[in-house]
Amino acid sequence: MKVCIIGCGAIGSLFGAHLAKLPDVEVWAYDPNREHVDAINRNGLRLTGLADFVAPVKASSDAREIPACEFGIIAAKTLHTRAAMEATADIFRDGAVCSVQNGVGNEEIIAEYVPRVIMGTTFPAGHVTAPGVVNQDTGGKTWIGPFLPKPASMQEVNRLADAINRGGMICLPMEDSRGALWTKLIFNSASNAMGALTRLPHGIACEQVWPVMSALAEEGIAVSKALGVTLDGDPVALLEYGKQVAYKHKPSMLQDVLAQRATEVDALNGGIAKIGKEIGVPTPLNDAMTVMIKGLEFSWTLKD
Amino acid sequence: MTIKPIKRTCVAGAGAIGSLFACHLGGVAESTVLVRRQGHADQLNQHGLRSSGKTERHSRIVASTDPADLGDVDLVIIATKASDVEDTARRLAGHFRDAVVMTVQNGLGCEEVVAKYGDWPIVSAVTFMSGNRHSDIHVEYELDTATWMGPWAKGTATFEQVRLIEQLIEQSGLKARAFPDLLPAQWSKLIFNAAVNSISAVTDLPHVKAFARREVLTDLGHLVFAMMDEGKRVAEAQGIVLFEDPWEMNVEATSHGQTGNDDYAHAPSMLEDVRAKRPTEVDWIAGAIVRAAMAAGVPAPISETMYRLVKAREASWKLNQH
């Protein structure tokens, strides 16, 4: 079986390296960063931290060099979903692509490019420490399921989950994976927006602006209910739990803000706001956070 | 009732606004200044105070860190930041018994604070002028827009007293406008300021055109509009008919760009405070709307959210050091 990782940053590398341990899986990686690609081709893809091994991955910045694959796993930042699919669509002309990205709205874009789509949500985290080297910071499960209206078959979903599990990660195939996605989406949108706008780590932000943080999550819960999604956890309880275990953790959007990088707000608060508008559920606070984070991004383009 | 002419004035707090008042009043009255730093007082006593820009003035000033040194005055203008009003009023307690006291802070609620420390007639004011303080003895007069004033609704100042102050300020070369009831104008500016300042303080974004744009869902103008709308409902619940529409003020202010694009980048005072990591005036601005909303039983979730976010941003300067 051939799998191509689309966007081989921290998350993409975790999937790619684990899958590449299997003798029956050939792993390719598409990534625009040439230095990273060259290092992977030269030395293999190396994981450190929680996982510690080197795996044989074939990487390229030119999608035309990558053969047709049965599966894609896209882990690009949500901002780059369209560009990444534009570049790699041909690899999956007969395949299924699974998103393990943050937020909502990625699968819709992927579905414009490939015949079958899998909706995934993943919890492990890591960071790139050098070209070709990724440190796995935390473990965690991945949930995957067919994405409507362009679903992969359950058989395909099971096959991909089986490979991921045999590679040493934990993956749960399911008929409806929206519950996992929305649980993480709601948690992330509240934690990330508050981090980005207060510039505080998660636990301290919880202490400082809990009424806003929990109200943001409640809005997301209302939207998910109206969509008929059954959440697989309580996002408000997850935020509280995060306060204990990740008190000083800087959510990714706060890291983006501190580095003045474009954030994933469109797929998080912006995604909740957009869907809320479509189905008639008011989301005034997620609307507010979206436009302010957009405003903050815009502030970096102004002189002085 | 006869009204005492204003012959001697005291400006408490000589930042940009206070310096503009003190310098100009020096041309039409004896101008005294209450400051905190001895060095500041020494400079003013020695060199006087100069204005440049929209006006060219140079005035003799009597300055001190102790109100007892300043003699009796007829008018006190408290021109400190809102967060320093309490401390200033405490220092004024027992002095200037015959004076009218005027507050010119951003936001709402400083009059109450002053009234705790003396039974002076109190005049409410909001100022739209701006200045750039080059040194202790030199201020540049930038925006020559008016200061609006009216008798504080809960106090004893009369409209005639306000007219007298208006005349004096006009004669001094600054612009002033007296209102029998300042609340409509004060609330227009409060609602405008609450939205513009707190959104600016949270987003780091100066007051650019984006604040008035409402085309796509992600445009910032939607939030500015929603927050102002909330403020308008709070004003309405108190029976206040606004003098100007805050949204129109916002559209107007952001269309003043020299080039007509996003280059017009006035940094609201709260953004300046954030940049300098100073406490902001959010308690008197968005905080005043939240308190009024609670008192009137009107929901104000956006104002409350913005208030909390600015307070968290202030807290972040200390918390992030650890």
Side-chain angles (χ1 to χ4, degrees):
Chain A
M1 150 175 156
K2 289 195 182 77
V3 178
C4 177
I5 306 297
I6 309 162
C8 199
I11 299 299
S13 295
L14 296 183
F15 281 94
H18 281 95
L19 285 169
K21 282 160 67 177
L22 302 173
D24 58 327
V25 178
E26 180 178 323
V27 178
W28 286 80
Y30 168 77
D31 196 281
N33 183 335
R34 286 189 186 275
E35 213 188 335
H36 186 50
V37 159
D38 291 344
I40 294 171
N41 286 329
R42 201 166 47 241
N43 310 319
L45 178 55
R46 178 178 192 95
L47 296 190
T48 58
L50 222 56
D52 198 354
F53 62 90
V54 181
V57 170
K58 295 174 204 166
S60 178
S61 296
D62 182 354
R64 286 168 304 184
E65 290 177 359
I66 301 175
C69 290
E70 293 137 280
F71 289 103
I73 295 176
I74 178 165
K77 275 212 153 198
T78 58
L79 293 161
H80 305 133
T81 303
R82 185 169 294 283
M85 290 315 303
E86 191 104 32
T88 59
D90 195 47
I91 300 170
F92 312 106
R93 52 192 177 270
D94 300 315
V97 170
C98 174
S99 167
V100 291
Q101 298 161 282
N102 271 333
V104 73
N106 298 297
E107 289 82 1
E108 284 79 357
I109 297 172
I110 297 164
E112 292 178 34
Y113 293 92
V114 301
R116 294 183 304 285
V117 181
I118 300 171
M119 172 188 272
T121 299
T122 192
F123 270 84
H127 64 282
V128 179
T129 52
V133 185
V134 166
N135 192 77
Q136 179 166 4
D137 302 333
T138 58
K141 295 173 187 167
T142 300
W143 292 263
I144 64 176
F147 170 73
L148 293 171
K150 262 199 165 180
S153 70
M154 214 40 222
Q155 195 190 355
E156 274 179 302
V157 170
N158 284 327
R159 212 172 142 226
L160 179 62
D162 174 62
I164 294 170
N165 282 318
R166 283 189 292 124
M169 294 175 76
I170 307 162
C171 182
L172 290 81
M174 56 214 316
E175 295 277 356
D176 184 355
S177 61
R178 294 179 305 161
L181 183 133
W182 274 84
T183 305
K184 187 181 179 192
L185 167 68
I186 295 167
F187 168 85
N188 262 340
S189 60
S191 169
N192 277 280
M194 288 301 90
L197 291 174
T198 64
R199 285 51 159 195
L200 290 167
H202 176 72
I204 303 177
C206 281
E207 289 168 353
Q208 293 291 321
V209 289
W210 180 252
V212 185
M213 178 116 57
S214 56
L216 279 169
E218 293 297 348
E219 282 185 5
I221 292 168
V223 173
S224 70
K225 273 192 183 142
L227 283 174
V229 173
T230 307
L231 296 179
D232 67 358
D234 173 11
V236 177
L238 280 176
L239 289 166
E240 279 171 336
Y241 178 70
K243 183 179 159 189
Q244 316 301 324
V245 299
Y247 187 78
K248 289 198 169 173
H249 172 69
K250 289 180 179 148
S252 66
M253 214 189 275
L254 172 56
Q255 295 179 38
D256 290 338
V257 165
L258 295 174
Q260 302 201 348
R261 279 191 302 256
T263 70
E264 296 190 302
V265 67
D266 280 327
L268 298 174
N269 307 86
I272 291 174
K274 182 164 169 270
I275 293 170
K277 186 133 293 185
E278 283 163 9
I279 61 175
V281 177
T283 57
L285 293 182
N286 278 286
D287 297 0
M289 300 312 134
T290 306
V291 301
M292 282 199 285
I293 292 165
K294 290 284 187 187
L296 177 57
E297 291 176 353
F298 179 56
S299 77
W300 306 327
T301 68
L302 299 176
K303 280 164 278 170
D304 201 42
Chain B
M1 166 180 171
T2 56
I3 294 181
K4 219 157 60 81
I6 303 170
K7 293 190 169 162
R8 194 174 167 91
T9 61
C10 171
V11 173
I17 296 295
S19 296
L20 285 172
F21 277 122
C23 172
H24 288 82
L25 288 172
V28 291
E30 291 167 44
S31 180
T32 77
V33 171
L34 179 67
V35 293
R36 270 175 205 279
R37 278 181 296 119
Q38 187 58 47
H40 192 176
D42 293 344
Q43 285 280 309
L44 288 170
N45 285 322
Q46 199 178 339
H47 302 288
L49 187 51
R50 179 187 156 216
S51 80
S52 62
K54 287 278 156 52
T55 58
E56 284 291 342
R57 295 275 195 288
H58 188 251
S59 294
R60 211 176 70 82
I61 300 288
V62 175
S64 176
T65 58
D66 182 354
D69 296 341
L70 298 176
D72 275 336
V73 306
D74 310 302
L75 169 67
V76 176
I77 299 177
I78 300 182
T80 61
K81 300 211 82 172
S83 47
D84 292 328
V85 167
E86 176 117 38
D87 185 51
T88 303
R90 194 180 290 121
R91 289 165 71 204
L92 293 174
H95 299 281
F96 309 138
R97 290 170 185 281
D98 298 327
V100 175
V101 175
M102 182 165 92
T103 58
V104 294
Q105 282 66 33
N106 281 328
L108 216 61
C110 288
E111 298 93 332
E112 270 90 350
V113 174
V114 174
K116 287 196 292 181
Y117 295 93
D119 54 6
W120 309 284
I122 293 176
V123 171
S124 301
V126 293
T127 186
F128 295 88
M129 67 178 178
S130 76
N132 183 8
R133 194 177 175 284
H134 290 293
S135 71
D136 283 351
I137 56 169
H138 176 203
V139 63
E140 186 189 338
Y141 186 17
E142 286 179 332
L143 217 56
D144 62 342
T145 27
T147 299
W148 293 349
M149 52 198 71
W152 178 40
K154 298 177 198 165
T156 59
T158 63
F159 186 52
E160 287 69 28
Q161 285 172 309
V162 177
R163 290 299 291 264
L164 209 62
I165 300 169
E166 177 198 33
Q167 282 164 24
L168 185 79
I169 290 176
E170 282 279 335
Q171 282 162 15
S172 81
L174 300 174
K175 291 179 180 158
R177 181 164 173 188
F179 290 80
D181 178 6
L182 189 67
L183 279 176
Q186 218 170 2
W187 269 82
S188 293
K189 192 181 181 196
L190 176 70
I191 295 167
F192 169 85
N193 262 339
V196 171
N197 274 279
S198 50
I199 293 171
S200 175
V202 170
T203 62
D204 286 343
L205 196 60
H207 192 203
V208 291
K209 262 189 170 5
F211 277 71
R213 197 172 292 137
R214 285 190 299 157
E215 285 150 28
V216 298
L217 197 61
T218 52
D219 280 340
L220 191 62
H222 290 296
L223 174 61
V224 178
F225 190 90
M227 188 167 169
M228 287 179 170
D229 201 49
E230 215 174 76
K232 281 154 81 169
R233 271 181 270 122
V234 176
E236 199 184 323
Q238 299 172 93
I240 296 167
V241 179
L242 295 178
F243 179 73
E244 278 183 292
D245 181 68
W247 175 257
E248 293 305 322
M249 293 165 76
N250 172 51
V251 171
E252 167 71 12
T254 52
S255 61
H256 273 165
Q258 297 93 332
T259 56
N261 57 33
D262 278 306
D263 289 350
Y264 172 74
H266 169 69
S269 64
M270 218 181 270
L271 176 57
E272 288 185 336
D273 290 337
V274 164
R275 286 174 174 167
K277 302 193 174 181
R278 284 189 299 252
T280 72
E281 296 184 309
V282 72
D283 279 305
W284 289 270
I285 302 178
I289 292 183
V290 172
R291 288 190 298 272
M294 284 171 72
V298 178
I302 305 265
S303 305
E304 218 176 293
T305 295
M306 295 310 302
Y307 173 75
R308 288 185 199 280
L309 290 179
V310 175
K311 293 302 270 186
R313 194 126 202 235
E314 289 179 358
S316 76
W317 304 323
K318 267 185 202 158
L319 295 167
N320 278 339
Q321 285 167 5
H322 305 297

